[in-house]
Amino acid sequence: MGKLLGDSITWRGSTAVNACDLSEPQAAATSWDRVSGIEEQQRQHLLKLHAKGVQWTHPQDKSWSMVFRLSHGGDVEADGNCLFTASWKAMAPEMKVDARDLRRRTVTRFLEVLGSLSGKEREMTESAIRHMYAPDLKSGWGIHLVQEVKLLAKKADRESLDSAIDELVNPGMRRETAAESIYKERCIAVDNGPSWARYMSISGSPEDEYDIITLQYTEEGLLTVDENREGHAAAFGDDIAIGCLATEFKREIFVVRRIMWFFLFSS
């Protein structure tokens, strides 16, 4: 379960602010005592952040700074939609959109930015995409025990894909090996800007055009094939999506901890 954190206050002036008391300690303790799923050490860290805030200084205008105040905005499901659900909850009072709308607008913003990039900038962006979703399985094992390859299967093609897999299984090939071969041959690899846009559009809804197929590998070879038979898997918001979402809605979004999604939004 993820946690949505938000709110902020702003200072303008030349005096640097390292910390300030933003809340009554007793009220803060009561608020954070009601948050489930966190350890006591984490709760104490959150209480300190709540009391002191986190200062951000404008990179060009050093006289302009903002202190983010932490507040608990509620829980979000720890699924692929958590970035967009948390963002929707944070902006719901002012934005007449839902989480799927935020996902669509994030993808649209990405495609607009991608079209404006120079050749070198685009290659850097697509290199980052390949690193995340189509990694070179000959390297990276000093860092990762398991690496994943993401593929996109058209929902309309699932029956023909199953038939092709069965044709390899019937003579005696292992199901995982057959599935790996067919999916890699016939599905779309997430290895460039357009395929990232297709991937990030997937919310795990029946209306999605594609299903996400995940191939997991260890250094020894194929580990598992997640065929996502029900089509419920959604694309997790990555660093690129966070940047596009922040740009689209003119927000500062910070991921404080990866395991639980923490967001701070500036006004």
Side-chain angles (χ1 to χ4, degrees), residues 110-119 121-122:
F110 169 77
L111 290 173
E112 290 173 354
V113 172
L114 187 70
S116 68
L117 297 179
S118 67
E121 290 171 329
R122 179 165 180 147

Side-chain angles (χ1 to χ4, degrees), residues 5-36:
L5 312 178
D7 207 356
S8 65
I9 57 178
T10 306
W11 282 263
R12 290 182 185 274
S14 57
T15 303
V17 181
N18 293 322
C20 61
D21 187 4
L22 302 180
S23 61
E24 294 294 332
Q26 186 172 0
T30 302
S31 172
W32 290 105
D33 282 343
R34 293 198 298 266
V35 179
S36 62

